[in-house]
């Protein structure tokens, strides 16, 4: 267990988070992510990446999120609040029955922002580039160098991949599970 204090609220984050990225609607310029975040009941905050290595200012990929829903462990939809000043920060109230929340987001690919170069996701009928910073959220206030994450990616039919992630195992039709890494490395 990794412990943390978030805005004065004691929360506990379990062993890992899980990220499942579905790229099969690339023809519509959409990437879908399902992110499972370990939590304990109470107020919980999470972020969409803002400061990306190699970019000399905050990124603007948050502008390309076309949908965001949060559900509890039992599938109940949870209301989220976006911070009025820190636009990449979201907060939910986690019910007593939940040890995790699931955040589903849709990223609009090929919709460049002012600082998209090198950090955006894009694709067409021949190529797909996924920059993970566009497809994830992570717990606020947790050391990302030590937070483990399991990642899987579903590709469009007939696509192959190249990645720095290690040891991909095919676990379904064009779905690949990668070796556990940390959020920072991802």
């Amino acid at each position: 267990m990794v412990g943390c204090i978030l805005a004065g609220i004691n929360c506990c984050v379990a062993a890992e988070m899980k990220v499942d990225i579905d790229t099969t609607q690339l023809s519509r310029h959409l990437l879908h992510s399902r992110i499972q975040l370990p939590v304990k009941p109470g107020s919980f905050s999470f972020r969409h990446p803002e400061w990306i290595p190699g970019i000399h200012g905050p990124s603007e990929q948050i502008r390309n999120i076309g949908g965001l829903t949060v559900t509890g462990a039992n599938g109940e939809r949870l209301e989220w609040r976006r911070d009025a000043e820190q636009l990449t920060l979201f907060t939910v109230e986690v019910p007593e029955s939940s040890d995790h929340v699931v955040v589903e987001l849709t990223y609009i690919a090929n919709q460049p922002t002012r600082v998209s170069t090198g950090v955006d996701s894009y694709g067409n009928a021949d190529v797909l580039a996924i920059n993970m910073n566009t497809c994830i959220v992570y717990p606020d206030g947790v050391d990302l160098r030590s937070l483990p994450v399991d990642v899987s990616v579903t590709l469009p039919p007939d696509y192959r991949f190249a990645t720095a992630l290690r040891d991909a195992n095919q676990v379904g039709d064009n779905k690949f599970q990668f070796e556990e890494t940390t959020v920072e490395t991802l």
Side-chain angles (χ1 to χ4, degrees):
M1 302 288 265
V2 177
C4 64
I5 302 290
L6 300 180
I9 300 167
N10 186 17
C11 81
C12 200
V13 177
E16 66 187 31
M17 59 184 264
K18 296 178 182 177
V19 176
D20 185 20
I21 300 170
D22 182 346
T23 68
T24 58
Q25 289 192 343
L26 176 62
S27 63
R28 296 180 58 214
H29 302 291
L30 301 176
L31 299 175
H32 298 285
S33 298
R34 184 181 189 279
I35 304 108
Q36 182 174 308
L37 301 169
V39 297
K40 75 175 207 179
S43 185
F44 175 73
S45 296
F46 61 91
R47 289 187 175 276
H48 187 266
E50 179 179 19
W51 292 91
I52 310 301
I55 302 301
H56 301 288
S59 71
E60 297 176 358
Q61 280 66 43
I62 189 82
R63 292 180 179 190
N64 295 347
I65 291 181
L68 184 120
T69 59
V70 181
T71 54
N74 297 323
E76 69 278 24
R77 193 168 186 155
L78 304 177
E79 294 296 319
W80 52 266
R81 295 179 311 280
R82 188 174 184 181
D83 190 272
E85 293 179 18
Q86 298 181 47
L87 300 181
T88 61
L89 180 65
F90 301 86
T91 302
V92 297
E93 291 301 318
V94 178
E96 287 294 321
S97 60
S98 289
D99 62 352
H100 68 271
V101 295
V102 174
V103 178
E104 293 186 51
L105 68 84
T106 299
Y107 186 78
I108 304 168
N110 294 6
Q111 183 72 27
T113 63
R114 185 176 54 85
V115 293
S116 288
T117 304
V119 295
D120 211 350
S121 291
Y122 57 89
N124 58 39
D126 299 317
V127 67
L128 164 64
I130 303 172
N131 281 295
M132 295 297 181
N133 57 285
T134 63
C135 302
I136 68 167
V137 295
Y138 55 85
D140 184 40
V142 173
D143 181 3
L144 301 180
R145 292 172 294 186
S146 60
L147 180 60
V149 58
D150 278 337
V151 180
S152 63
V153 177
T154 303
L155 298 173
D158 301 323
Y159 270 59
R160 293 184 303 254
F161 66 88
T163 180
L165 295 175
R166 298 185 179 194
D167 293 333
N169 293 312
Q170 190 162 355
V171 294
D173 290 341
N174 248 21
K175 183 173 184 172
F176 299 89
Q177 178 74 45
F178 296 92
E179 182 180 284
E180 181 181 278
T181 189
T182 65
V183 174
E184 179 185 58
T185 298
L186 181 64

